[in-house]
Amino acid sequence: KTHGTTLRRSINYKLKPDSLGYYEGSFDSLYQANGYGRWQAYDGTYYEGEWQAGCRHGWGFRSEERRVGKEC
């Protein structure tokens, strides 16, 4: 019998949208990004790489939209 320990098993899903964008990749049993996956924000920000407990962790690639000059 184990108290206070959460067993996180990897679950593979195709797509998980949220209010900021969508994540495609592996999840743990708490439905947090875990393992390898891609996140694409609606504003163009992109991250592909390793995740742990819902946070970017380890190796990965990130790209952001850069704006130069004034916006109309």
Side-chain angles (χ1 to χ4, degrees):
K1 192 171 183 179
T2 305
H3 295 284
T5 303
T6 303
L7 178 62
R8 294 185 179 199
R9 295 186 179 139
S10 184
I11 302 170
N12 291 318
Y13 283 93
K14 182 69 177 160
L15 192 65
K16 180 185 177 190
D18 64 22
S19 63
L20 300 175
Y22 63 90
Y23 173 80
E24 179 180 11
S26 297
F27 294 89
D28 61 18
S29 59
L30 300 175
Y31 298 104
Q32 295 178 325
N34 198 62
Y36 185 83
R38 296 178 209 108
W39 184 74
Q40 175 78 47
Y42 297 122
D43 70 357
T45 304
Y46 178 82
Y47 174 78
E48 181 174 350
E50 297 175 7
W51 297 79
Q52 184 177 25
C55 297
R56 292 175 225 162
H57 180 80
W59 294 97
F61 171 79
R62 181 178 178 173
S63 173
E64 293 183 12
E65 179 182 352
R66 292 188 93 191
R67 295 184 181 151
V68 178
K70 287 185 172 182
E71 291 188 36
C72 297

